[in-house]
Amino acid sequence: MAYLALYRVWRPQKFQEVVGQEQTVTALRNSVRENRLTHAYLFSGPRGTGKTSLAKILAKAVNCENQQDGEPCNICSSCQDINNGNFMDVIEIDAASNRGIDEIRDLREKVRILPAQGKKKVYIIDEVHMLTTEAFNALLKTLEEPPESVVFVLATTELHKIPSTILSRCQKYNFRRLTLPQINTRLKDVAKSNGIKFDDEALALIARRANGGMRDALGMLDQLYSYKDSHITREDVLEVLGLVDDLFVARLLDAVIEQDCAAIVDMLGTALNQGKEAGQLARETALYLRDLLLYTVVGEQAELVMAGEQSRTYLKKQSRKMDKNNILRALRMIMDTGEKLRFSESHKFLLELVYLEMAALFGPPETNTGNTVPASPGHKTQRGKSEKPGKVDRADRNDAREVLWNRLLAGVKEKKIPTHALLSQGKLLGTKGDTMFIGFRKGYKFHKERMEEKGNREIVDAVIKEIFSKELDVQFIFFEDKQYNDMVVKKAIEYFGEDIIDIKD
Ligand SMILES: Nc1ncnc2c1ncn2[C@@H]1O[C@H](COP(=O)(O)OP(=O)(O)OP(=O)(O)O)[C@@H](O)[C@H]1O
Ligand SMILES: [Mg+2]
Ligand SMILES: [Zn+2]
């Protein structure tokens, strides 16, 4: 027998088997029991929450030969035929695949013909928002003068796309996202009855990621089951679904809050090297920040999507250190980056940039006066010294410079550690046009000269190309703290003015 996806095997066949949607289930079941059906129902709500399932249960219940207490028996020939899709009087129309005009025209012609097989004709129109205007108009005509023995069930995920003329002729039911415990319980039942062993945290992870959709939850379980039918662990779930470990994101956020730039660059590098996708990382960070925001506002009761048991401890700690507005800003930043990643080649750079920018967001105001050597990876960035007022632009610029410098150092480190050791004694002065200036203090002649050698220079060039997607001419120059006594530096100052150099691009 062909393998049937779990979500299909586990389609509820009776009102009683439907998880959640209590009000809808009760109302429908009562109207069957008391024979108070209306002509048109509209089911709206998120994907995989039971709309089509309930439409079919309703179709069975009204046609069942031994209907009991509003429930279909699932045994009589009507029930069985409906279950197998062979019942002439239950007509399913998928508005998504054919925009419907032919079907609706056909429907208008045949709708007045009495049921051939059963008691009522039931038209289930799925994804009804996809109908063309023409088809909607045709449908409206039918709804305006509904034939006696016909029931319409319209289902949609996008209620706002349904014309009000249609809405006003339907009895409306809103389907809700299923809760975590509801999904979790169902997953456990399904797993157990299929003999699938699992860690609780593995199923909890799936449940969280399903975002209230039962079909998605079962679909994920299916994917895992076909990968491994012995014992499903949390790691399996992460691996098979290509998810980023929430604990990893929690730790990464810790580094962001601590402004540990080196750790950030390091962790991102590791994740990407392990084959995680930049876009996925950005998405999961956004989810985590969403959880953090929720936790900050709601506290322990928050229903979290990303954070599992272990990362809750992080969340708790972090929520005390961050304020709502900054979390929102960070969320916006990471979402913007998510967009940019789709159109960019320099994934790593964009990702690092946004995390380092977030770090800047959470830190005390920037105090770098432009003359201190920026911290190199391996040290935390220096912040929290005295700040001169009115230097905001410059602080921003220093931030950007620091981000770029850290990125450059990290890139070089990845290619060759000795080169990194040399370069990290320098300082990025800035770029102008197609030239980048990297300064060394006088005592670092050895470092400067080594960096000027072909091998080392090529490494820097390569990293710059990765960052900017173009080549820059790199000049290594001397500077001695406030004393710009090197010819080249003097030139640079003539060029850019005292207020050293801007980073563009
Ligand atoms: N409320 C629910 N209770 C139990 N199982 C459910 C429920 N909702 C969805 N499922 C599971 O998900 C599968 C798909 O559900 P269904 O087709 O009813 O969703 P839907 O709301 O129509 O989704 P879509 O909007 O994508 O068409 C079902 O076969 C069942 O396995
Ligand atoms: Mg459906
Ligand atoms: Zn029956």
Side-chain angles (χ1 to χ4, degrees), residues 279-332:
Q280 185 77 6
L281 260 164
R283 264 194 302 283
E284 313 245 332
T285 303
L287 284 179
Y288 187 89
L289 285 169
R290 171 232 174 252
D291 279 356
L292 186 57
L293 188 63
L294 213 66
Y295 194 91
T296 312
V297 181
V298 186
E300 281 295 331
Q301 283 88 344
E303 198 165 273
L304 305 174
V305 179
M306 175 78 187
E309 275 313 307
Q310 288 167 293
S311 34
R312 260 184 189 257
T313 1
Y314 282 84
L315 216 57
K316 204 177 205 165
K317 205 174 55 183
Q318 291 164 349
S319 70
R320 277 192 233 114
K321 292 189 188 165
M322 290 154 95
D323 95 333
K324 272 199 309 274
N325 291 327
N326 272 344
I327 302 176
L328 265 175
R329 264 181 223 122
L331 195 53
R332 230 170 274 134

Short mmCIF file of all heavy atoms in Angstrom, two decimals, residues 279-332:
data_model
loop_
_atom_site.label_atom_id
_atom_site.label_comp_id
_atom_site.label_asym_id
_atom_site.label_seq_id
_atom_site.Cartn_x
_atom_site.Cartn_y
_atom_site.Cartn_z
N GLY A 279 19.97 33.27 5.79
CA GLY A 279 18.56 33.68 5.86
C GLY A 279 17.83 33.01 7.01
O GLY A 279 17.05 33.64 7.72
N GLN A 280 18.13 31.74 7.19
CA GLN A 280 17.51 30.98 8.27
C GLN A 280 17.92 31.56 9.63
O GLN A 280 17.10 31.75 10.52
CB GLN A 280 17.92 29.50 8.16
CG GLN A 280 17.26 28.57 9.15
CD GLN A 280 15.82 28.26 8.77
OE1 GLN A 280 15.36 28.64 7.70
NE2 GLN A 280 15.11 27.60 9.66
N LEU A 281 19.21 31.84 9.74
CA LEU A 281 19.71 32.44 10.99
C LEU A 281 18.99 33.75 11.29
O LEU A 281 18.59 34.00 12.44
CB LEU A 281 21.20 32.71 10.86
CG LEU A 281 22.13 31.68 11.49
CD1 LEU A 281 23.54 31.86 10.97
CD2 LEU A 281 22.11 31.84 13.00
N ALA A 282 18.83 34.55 10.26
CA ALA A 282 18.16 35.84 10.45
C ALA A 282 16.70 35.61 10.87
O ALA A 282 16.20 36.24 11.80
CB ALA A 282 18.22 36.67 9.18
N ARG A 283 16.04 34.68 10.21
CA ARG A 283 14.64 34.39 10.54
C ARG A 283 14.50 33.91 11.98
O ARG A 283 13.63 34.35 12.71
CB ARG A 283 14.09 33.31 9.61
CG ARG A 283 13.33 33.85 8.40
CD ARG A 283 12.54 32.76 7.72
NE ARG A 283 13.34 31.65 7.27
CZ ARG A 283 14.11 31.65 6.19
NH1 ARG A 283 14.19 32.73 5.44
NH2 ARG A 283 14.81 30.60 5.85
N GLU A 284 15.40 33.01 12.36
CA GLU A 284 15.27 32.44 13.70
C GLU A 284 15.63 33.47 14.77
O GLU A 284 15.11 33.44 15.87
CB GLU A 284 16.13 31.19 13.82
CG GLU A 284 15.94 30.27 12.63
CD GLU A 284 15.30 28.94 12.96
OE1 GLU A 284 15.47 28.49 14.09
OE2 GLU A 284 14.65 28.37 12.06
N THR A 285 16.55 34.36 14.42
CA THR A 285 16.86 35.43 15.36
C THR A 285 15.64 36.34 15.52
O THR A 285 15.31 36.77 16.63
CB THR A 285 18.07 36.24 14.88
OG1 THR A 285 19.16 35.36 14.70
CG2 THR A 285 18.44 37.31 15.88
N ALA A 286 14.97 36.59 14.41
CA ALA A 286 13.75 37.40 14.48
C ALA A 286 12.71 36.72 15.38
O ALA A 286 12.08 37.37 16.22
CB ALA A 286 13.18 37.64 13.09
N LEU A 287 12.57 35.42 15.22
CA LEU A 287 11.63 34.68 16.06
C LEU A 287 12.03 34.78 17.53
O LEU A 287 11.19 34.96 18.41
CB LEU A 287 11.58 33.21 15.66
CG LEU A 287 10.81 32.86 14.39
CD1 LEU A 287 10.88 31.36 14.13
CD2 LEU A 287 9.36 33.31 14.50
N TYR A 288 13.31 34.65 17.76
CA TYR A 288 13.80 34.71 19.14
C TYR A 288 13.51 36.10 19.73
O TYR A 288 13.05 36.22 20.87
CB TYR A 288 15.29 34.40 19.19
CG TYR A 288 15.82 34.29 20.59
CD1 TYR A 288 15.81 33.07 21.27
CD2 TYR A 288 16.31 35.40 21.26
CE1 TYR A 288 16.27 32.97 22.56
CE2 TYR A 288 16.78 35.31 22.56
CZ TYR A 288 16.76 34.09 23.20
OH TYR A 288 17.21 34.01 24.49
N LEU A 289 13.79 37.13 18.94
CA LEU A 289 13.55 38.49 19.43
C LEU A 289 12.05 38.71 19.67
O LEU A 289 11.66 39.40 20.61
CB LEU A 289 14.07 39.52 18.42
CG LEU A 289 15.59 39.68 18.40
CD1 LEU A 289 16.03 40.52 17.21
CD2 LEU A 289 16.08 40.32 19.70
N ARG A 290 11.25 38.09 18.85
CA ARG A 290 9.80 38.17 19.04
C ARG A 290 9.44 37.54 20.39
O ARG A 290 8.67 38.09 21.16
CB ARG A 290 9.10 37.46 17.89
CG ARG A 290 7.62 37.28 18.08
CD ARG A 290 7.26 35.81 17.84
NE ARG A 290 5.87 35.52 18.14
CZ ARG A 290 5.49 34.81 19.20
NH1 ARG A 290 6.37 34.37 20.08
NH2 ARG A 290 4.23 34.55 19.40
N ASP A 291 10.04 36.39 20.67
CA ASP A 291 9.81 35.75 21.96
C ASP A 291 10.28 36.65 23.11
O ASP A 291 9.60 36.78 24.12
CB ASP A 291 10.57 34.42 22.05
CG ASP A 291 9.83 33.30 21.33
OD1 ASP A 291 8.71 33.55 20.86
OD2 ASP A 291 10.38 32.19 21.25
N LEU A 292 11.44 37.22 22.91
CA LEU A 292 12.01 38.08 23.94
C LEU A 292 11.09 39.26 24.23
O LEU A 292 10.83 39.63 25.38
CB LEU A 292 13.39 38.57 23.48
CG LEU A 292 14.22 39.35 24.47
CD1 LEU A 292 14.45 38.57 25.75
CD2 LEU A 292 15.57 39.73 23.85
N LEU A 293 10.58 39.83 23.16
CA LEU A 293 9.66 40.96 23.29
C LEU A 293 8.42 40.54 24.06
O LEU A 293 7.99 41.20 25.01
CB LEU A 293 9.27 41.44 21.88
CG LEU A 293 8.46 42.73 21.80
CD1 LEU A 293 9.25 43.90 22.34
CD2 LEU A 293 8.06 43.01 20.36
N LEU A 294 7.89 39.42 23.65
CA LEU A 294 6.68 38.91 24.30
C LEU A 294 6.95 38.63 25.77
O LEU A 294 6.15 38.95 26.65
CB LEU A 294 6.26 37.61 23.60
CG LEU A 294 4.78 37.36 23.55
CD1 LEU A 294 4.10 38.41 22.69
CD2 LEU A 294 4.50 35.96 22.99
N TYR A 295 8.09 38.03 26.03
CA TYR A 295 8.45 37.70 27.40
C TYR A 295 8.60 38.96 28.24
O TYR A 295 8.20 39.01 29.40
CB TYR A 295 9.75 36.89 27.41
CG TYR A 295 10.02 36.22 28.73
CD1 TYR A 295 9.58 34.93 28.97
CD2 TYR A 295 10.70 36.90 29.73
CE1 TYR A 295 9.81 34.32 30.18
CE2 TYR A 295 10.95 36.29 30.95
CZ TYR A 295 10.50 35.01 31.17
OH TYR A 295 10.73 34.41 32.37
N THR A 296 9.20 39.99 27.64
CA THR A 296 9.37 41.25 28.35
C THR A 296 8.02 41.84 28.72
O THR A 296 7.86 42.44 29.77
CB THR A 296 10.15 42.25 27.45
OG1 THR A 296 11.28 41.57 26.93
CG2 THR A 296 10.62 43.44 28.24
N VAL A 297 7.05 41.67 27.84
CA VAL A 297 5.74 42.27 28.08
C VAL A 297 4.85 41.37 28.96
O VAL A 297 4.25 41.83 29.92
CB VAL A 297 5.02 42.53 26.73
CG1 VAL A 297 3.66 43.16 26.97
CG2 VAL A 297 5.87 43.45 25.86
N VAL A 298 4.80 40.09 28.61
CA VAL A 298 3.83 39.19 29.25
C VAL A 298 4.42 38.38 30.41
O VAL A 298 3.71 37.98 31.31
CB VAL A 298 3.23 38.22 28.20
CG1 VAL A 298 2.13 37.38 28.81
CG2 VAL A 298 2.72 38.98 27.00
N GLY A 299 5.73 38.15 30.34
CA GLY A 299 6.36 37.34 31.38
C GLY A 299 6.17 35.85 31.16
O GLY A 299 5.95 35.41 30.02
N GLU A 300 6.24 35.10 32.23
CA GLU A 300 6.22 33.64 32.16
C GLU A 300 5.11 33.03 31.31
O GLU A 300 5.28 31.97 30.73
CB GLU A 300 6.12 33.06 33.58
CG GLU A 300 7.44 33.05 34.34
CD GLU A 300 8.48 32.12 33.71
OE1 GLU A 300 8.07 31.13 33.08
OE2 GLU A 300 9.69 32.39 33.82
N GLN A 301 3.98 33.72 31.23
CA GLN A 301 2.85 33.14 30.51
C GLN A 301 3.01 33.16 29.00
O GLN A 301 2.24 32.54 28.28
CB GLN A 301 1.54 33.86 30.85
CG GLN A 301 0.94 33.49 32.19
CD GLN A 301 1.52 34.38 33.28
OE1 GLN A 301 2.53 35.03 33.07
NE2 GLN A 301 0.88 34.42 34.43
N ALA A 302 3.98 33.92 28.53
CA ALA A 302 4.12 34.10 27.08
C ALA A 302 4.21 32.76 26.36
O ALA A 302 4.91 31.86 26.80
CB ALA A 302 5.36 34.93 26.79
N GLU A 303 3.47 32.63 25.27
CA GLU A 303 3.57 31.41 24.47
C GLU A 303 4.69 31.62 23.45
O GLU A 303 4.56 32.40 22.51
CB GLU A 303 2.24 31.10 23.78
CG GLU A 303 2.21 29.66 23.33
CD GLU A 303 0.81 29.20 22.96
OE1 GLU A 303 0.06 28.76 23.86
OE2 GLU A 303 0.48 29.29 21.78
N LEU A 304 5.77 30.91 23.67
CA LEU A 304 6.97 31.19 22.89
C LEU A 304 7.08 30.27 21.68
O LEU A 304 6.74 29.11 21.75
CB LEU A 304 8.19 31.04 23.79
CG LEU A 304 8.13 31.89 25.07
CD1 LEU A 304 9.29 31.58 25.98
CD2 LEU A 304 8.07 33.37 24.73
N VAL A 305 7.57 30.83 20.60
CA VAL A 305 7.67 30.08 19.36
C VAL A 305 9.04 29.44 19.22
O VAL A 305 9.20 28.32 18.75
CB VAL A 305 7.45 31.01 18.15
CG1 VAL A 305 7.59 30.23 16.86
CG2 VAL A 305 6.09 31.65 18.23
N MET A 306 10.04 30.18 19.65
CA MET A 306 11.40 29.78 19.37
C MET A 306 12.08 29.18 20.62
O MET A 306 12.75 28.18 20.56
CB MET A 306 12.14 31.04 18.90
CG MET A 306 13.60 30.88 18.66
SD MET A 306 13.93 30.07 17.10
CE MET A 306 15.70 29.86 17.25
N ALA A 307 11.88 29.84 21.73
CA ALA A 307 12.62 29.47 22.92
C ALA A 307 12.05 28.23 23.60
O ALA A 307 10.88 28.18 23.93
CB ALA A 307 12.61 30.64 23.90
N GLY A 308 12.88 27.23 23.76
CA GLY A 308 12.48 26.03 24.48
C GLY A 308 12.81 26.17 25.95
O GLY A 308 13.20 27.24 26.41
N GLU A 309 12.66 25.07 26.67
CA GLU A 309 12.88 25.09 28.11
C GLU A 309 14.23 25.71 28.48
O GLU A 309 14.32 26.60 29.31
CB GLU A 309 12.81 23.67 28.66
CG GLU A 309 11.39 23.20 28.97
CD GLU A 309 10.61 24.25 29.75
OE1 GLU A 309 11.11 24.70 30.80
OE2 GLU A 309 9.50 24.62 29.32
N GLN A 310 15.28 25.21 27.80
CA GLN A 310 16.61 25.64 28.19
C GLN A 310 16.88 27.11 27.91
O GLN A 310 17.53 27.79 28.68
CB GLN A 310 17.67 24.79 27.49
CG GLN A 310 17.74 23.38 28.02
CD GLN A 310 18.54 22.51 27.08
OE1 GLN A 310 18.14 22.24 25.95
NE2 GLN A 310 19.71 22.09 27.53
N SER A 311 16.37 27.59 26.77
CA SER A 311 16.68 28.99 26.47
C SER A 311 15.79 29.97 27.22
O SER A 311 16.02 31.16 27.20
CB SER A 311 16.66 29.25 24.96
OG SER A 311 15.71 28.48 24.31
N ARG A 312 14.79 29.43 27.92
CA ARG A 312 13.97 30.32 28.74
C ARG A 312 14.80 31.05 29.80
O ARG A 312 14.56 32.20 30.11
CB ARG A 312 12.86 29.53 29.44
CG ARG A 312 11.55 29.67 28.74
CD ARG A 312 10.45 28.97 29.50
NE ARG A 312 9.25 28.95 28.69
CZ ARG A 312 8.21 29.76 28.88
NH1 ARG A 312 8.21 30.61 29.86
NH2 ARG A 312 7.17 29.72 28.08
N THR A 313 15.78 30.33 30.35
CA THR A 313 16.63 30.95 31.36
C THR A 313 17.36 32.17 30.76
O THR A 313 17.49 33.20 31.41
CB THR A 313 17.70 29.96 31.86
OG1 THR A 313 17.55 28.75 31.17
CG2 THR A 313 17.62 29.75 33.35
N TYR A 314 17.81 31.99 29.54
CA TYR A 314 18.48 33.11 28.86
C TYR A 314 17.50 34.27 28.67
O TYR A 314 17.81 35.42 28.93
CB TYR A 314 18.99 32.67 27.49
CG TYR A 314 20.26 31.88 27.54
CD1 TYR A 314 20.24 30.52 27.77
CD2 TYR A 314 21.49 32.50 27.33
CE1 TYR A 314 21.41 29.78 27.80
CE2 TYR A 314 22.66 31.78 27.36
CZ TYR A 314 22.62 30.41 27.60
OH TYR A 314 23.78 29.69 27.63
N LEU A 315 16.34 33.88 28.20
CA LEU A 315 15.31 34.88 27.90
C LEU A 315 15.01 35.73 29.13
O LEU A 315 14.90 36.94 29.06
CB LEU A 315 14.06 34.13 27.46
CG LEU A 315 13.21 34.73 26.38
CD1 LEU A 315 14.00 34.96 25.12
CD2 LEU A 315 12.03 33.81 26.08
N LYS A 316 14.90 35.05 30.23
CA LYS A 316 14.57 35.71 31.49
C LYS A 316 15.63 36.76 31.82
O LYS A 316 15.33 37.91 32.09
CB LYS A 316 14.54 34.64 32.58
CG LYS A 316 13.70 34.96 33.77
CD LYS A 316 13.75 33.75 34.69
CE LYS A 316 12.55 33.65 35.58
NZ LYS A 316 12.47 32.31 36.17
N LYS A 317 16.87 36.31 31.73
CA LYS A 317 17.99 37.19 32.07
C LYS A 317 18.05 38.36 31.09
O LYS A 317 18.20 39.50 31.48
CB LYS A 317 19.28 36.34 31.95
CG LYS A 317 20.42 36.81 32.77
CD LYS A 317 21.57 35.79 32.68
CE LYS A 317 21.92 35.56 31.23
NZ LYS A 317 22.91 34.61 30.87
N GLN A 318 17.90 38.03 29.82
CA GLN A 318 18.02 39.06 28.79
C GLN A 318 16.90 40.09 28.88
O GLN A 318 17.12 41.27 28.66
CB GLN A 318 18.05 38.41 27.40
CG GLN A 318 19.33 37.63 27.16
CD GLN A 318 19.23 36.67 25.98
OE1 GLN A 318 18.14 36.43 25.46
NE2 GLN A 318 20.36 36.12 25.57
N SER A 319 15.71 39.61 29.21
CA SER A 319 14.58 40.53 29.24
C SER A 319 14.77 41.60 30.31
O SER A 319 14.22 42.68 30.23
CB SER A 319 13.27 39.78 29.44
OG SER A 319 13.22 39.29 30.76
N ARG A 320 15.57 41.29 31.32
CA ARG A 320 15.82 42.28 32.36
C ARG A 320 16.79 43.35 31.88
O ARG A 320 16.79 44.46 32.37
CB ARG A 320 16.39 41.60 33.61
CG ARG A 320 15.30 41.02 34.49
CD ARG A 320 15.84 40.61 35.84
NE ARG A 320 15.48 39.23 36.11
CZ ARG A 320 16.32 38.24 36.20
NH1 ARG A 320 17.62 38.44 36.08
NH2 ARG A 320 15.89 37.01 36.43
N LYS A 321 17.63 42.98 30.93
CA LYS A 321 18.66 43.93 30.51
C LYS A 321 18.24 44.80 29.32
O LYS A 321 18.92 45.74 28.97
CB LYS A 321 19.91 43.15 30.07
CG LYS A 321 20.61 42.45 31.21
CD LYS A 321 21.93 41.91 30.73
CE LYS A 321 22.56 41.03 31.79
NZ LYS A 321 23.65 40.23 31.24
N MET A 322 17.17 44.41 28.67
CA MET A 322 16.84 45.12 27.44
C MET A 322 15.50 45.80 27.57
O MET A 322 14.60 45.32 28.24
CB MET A 322 16.77 44.12 26.29
CG MET A 322 18.13 43.60 25.95
SD MET A 322 18.00 42.00 25.21
CE MET A 322 18.02 42.43 23.50
N ASP A 323 15.36 46.92 26.86
CA ASP A 323 14.05 47.52 26.91
C ASP A 323 13.29 47.27 25.62
O ASP A 323 13.87 46.94 24.59
CB ASP A 323 14.16 48.99 27.33
CG ASP A 323 14.20 49.92 26.16
OD1 ASP A 323 14.64 49.51 25.07
OD2 ASP A 323 13.78 51.07 26.32
N LYS A 324 11.99 47.36 25.72
CA LYS A 324 11.09 47.00 24.63
C LYS A 324 11.47 47.66 23.31
O LYS A 324 11.52 47.02 22.27
CB LYS A 324 9.66 47.42 24.98
CG LYS A 324 8.87 46.42 25.73
CD LYS A 324 7.39 46.70 25.63
CE LYS A 324 6.96 48.10 25.95
NZ LYS A 324 6.71 48.39 27.36
N ASN A 325 11.73 48.97 23.40
CA ASN A 325 11.97 49.70 22.16
C ASN A 325 13.21 49.22 21.44
O ASN A 325 13.24 49.13 20.22
CB ASN A 325 12.08 51.19 22.44
CG ASN A 325 10.73 51.73 22.84
OD1 ASN A 325 9.71 51.24 22.35
ND2 ASN A 325 10.71 52.70 23.74
N ASN A 326 14.23 48.89 22.23
CA ASN A 326 15.44 48.39 21.60
C ASN A 326 15.21 47.02 20.98
O ASN A 326 15.77 46.71 19.92
CB ASN A 326 16.58 48.32 22.61
CG ASN A 326 17.33 49.65 22.65
OD1 ASN A 326 17.18 50.47 21.74
ND2 ASN A 326 18.11 49.85 23.69
N ILE A 327 14.42 46.21 21.63
CA ILE A 327 14.14 44.89 21.05
C ILE A 327 13.39 45.08 19.72
O ILE A 327 13.70 44.43 18.73
CB ILE A 327 13.30 44.02 22.00
CG1 ILE A 327 14.04 43.84 23.32
CG2 ILE A 327 13.01 42.67 21.38
CD1 ILE A 327 13.26 43.09 24.38
N LEU A 328 12.46 46.01 19.74
CA LEU A 328 11.72 46.29 18.50
C LEU A 328 12.64 46.76 17.40
O LEU A 328 12.54 46.33 16.25
CB LEU A 328 10.68 47.38 18.76
CG LEU A 328 9.29 46.88 19.10
CD1 LEU A 328 8.39 48.06 19.45
CD2 LEU A 328 8.71 46.13 17.90
N ARG A 329 13.56 47.65 17.78
CA ARG A 329 14.50 48.15 16.78
C ARG A 329 15.35 47.02 16.23
O ARG A 329 15.56 46.90 15.03
CB ARG A 329 15.42 49.21 17.40
CG ARG A 329 14.90 50.59 17.15
CD ARG A 329 15.83 51.65 17.74
NE ARG A 329 14.99 52.63 18.37
CZ ARG A 329 15.05 52.99 19.64
NH1 ARG A 329 15.96 52.47 20.44
NH2 ARG A 329 14.22 53.88 20.11
N ALA A 330 15.83 46.19 17.14
CA ALA A 330 16.66 45.06 16.71
C ALA A 330 15.86 44.15 15.78
O ALA A 330 16.36 43.67 14.76
CB ALA A 330 17.15 44.29 17.92
N LEU A 331 14.61 43.95 16.13
CA LEU A 331 13.73 43.09 15.33
C LEU A 331 13.60 43.65 13.91
O LEU A 331 13.72 42.94 12.92
CB LEU A 331 12.37 43.02 16.01
CG LEU A 331 11.40 41.94 15.58
CD1 LEU A 331 12.03 40.58 15.64
CD2 LEU A 331 10.17 41.96 16.49
N ARG A 332 13.41 44.94 13.86
CA ARG A 332 13.29 45.57 12.55
C ARG A 332 14.59 45.44 11.76
O ARG A 332 14.59 45.16 10.57
CB ARG A 332 12.92 47.05 12.73
CG ARG A 332 11.73 47.43 11.87
CD ARG A 332 11.22 48.81 12.22
NE ARG A 332 10.26 48.79 13.31
CZ ARG A 332 10.29 49.64 14.35
NH1 ARG A 332 11.26 50.53 14.47
NH2 ARG A 332 9.37 49.56 15.27
#
